[in-house]
Amino acid sequence: NTAAEYFRGMLAHDAGRRCRDYLERRGIDEAIAKRLGLGYAPEAWEGLRQHLSAKRFGTDEMLKGGLVLERQRGQGCYDRFRDRLIFPIRDVRGRTVAFGGRAVGDAEPKYINSPETPTYTKGGQLYGLDLAGDAIRREGFAVVVEGYLDLAALLQAGIDQVVASLGTAFTPAQARLLARYTDRVLVSYDGDAAGAKATTRSLDLLLERGFEVRVVELPAGKDPDDFVREEGPQAYEQLLRQAPEYLEFLIQREARSREVKRLDEKVAAVNTVLPHIAKLGTPIARSEWAGRLADALHIEDDLVLQELRAVAKTTQTQIRHRTRSARAPRWNETLMVRLLLDSEEQRTKLAETLAPEDLEKTEVAGIVRTIARLTGEGRPIDY
């Protein structure tokens, strides 16, 4: 807390003017900066070290707290954070346990975070939870963003029930923390490819732990901070109200992005979504979502349910690729065979489009070629 006070004082000092200007450009006013305890680490190499020494803290304490680094050459230590906007990371009781520092200028890396210390474990805290707890309980759900400035922007927009995961995916410890306040979560990560992957990893974990989870869909290339500043708080609140359930988001994403009339695209879509459905905690929920997936892809429900049972028997979220001689047919291959056997339309399309190399690495090549041959000869096909 002594270090946090020092950083706050530096933000208000003449040395912090450039940092204050940066906050103003980002739309973060003084009240939100004070609420978050924001500070500034000056450019001086030993400003914090000297301040803490004057307060009778020893070098070992500073090193253990991750506030200073040992010099590679010579003796002594220097400040870890220099010329950076400082975000105190606080536990649920409001005690500062670590810091995040964002470069004010062009320094790299853009962000520096405290290392693990006796009081701080990476992935063990949710940024802003000390402020958001009451609002989460009152509103009945939490909005989860990825970074410090996203959270600050949403607070500025009047959305108080927001926390940040401080990374690209949720951890089990963070899920346990959040479960003390709510079982409903809206995840709002960046609207780019990396953001989509982060969303998937986070929501899988929350889904396994029984949360009701929804996805706030942002335009490609936008993060919550960008969106609120450009489109305004009301537009973002509309996204919150319209946020689809996680599995609905996955199903619709597959249905929109694939040519689902094609057999291989149907199989690929099922292969993508079914492992996530398998994480649901009850058979009834799994069955319902398997049916929704089947409807979206125009497949018989029973086919998807059969594949779901196969996936649910494993704990892996993705199918391992093993050598041909060492494995049985993967479940997506067996789904392809079932679709061919049950659909004359799919058999006709197969006969028109099948190339020998398409089946090289599958265990069902002989079966599929036989189906294609019999289809071409106009002969009846059954199991």
Side-chain angles (χ1 to χ4, degrees), residues 139 141 143 159 161 184 186 188 212 214-217 227 232-245:
E139 299 295 333
F141 67 93
V143 178
I159 299 167
Q161 67 276 23
R184 296 182 62 218
L186 277 65
S188 182
E212 176 192 330
R214 294 178 178 269
V215 178
V216 182
E217 297 185 83
F227 188 88
Q234 290 184 337
Y236 187 81
E237 288 175 358
Q238 181 70 13
L239 291 183
L240 293 182
R241 287 192 292 271
Q242 295 174 343
E245 291 185 68

Side-chain angles (χ1 to χ4, degrees), residues 128-191:
L129 185 56
D130 59 308
L131 300 176
D134 289 342
I136 291 172
R137 289 191 173 112
R138 183 178 65 251
E139 299 295 333
F141 67 93
V143 178
V144 179
V145 296
E146 188 175 343
Y148 307 106
L149 285 170
D150 291 330
L151 182 141
L154 293 192
L155 283 183
Q156 186 71 54
I159 299 167
D160 292 331
Q161 67 276 23
V162 58
V163 295
S165 59
L166 299 177
T168 54
F170 241 62
T171 67
Q174 289 171 329
R176 288 193 296 272
L177 264 180
L178 198 55
R180 299 179 190 174
Y181 299 85
T182 187
D183 60 1
R184 296 182 62 218
V185 176
L186 277 65
V187 172
S188 182
Y189 283 169
D190 295 3

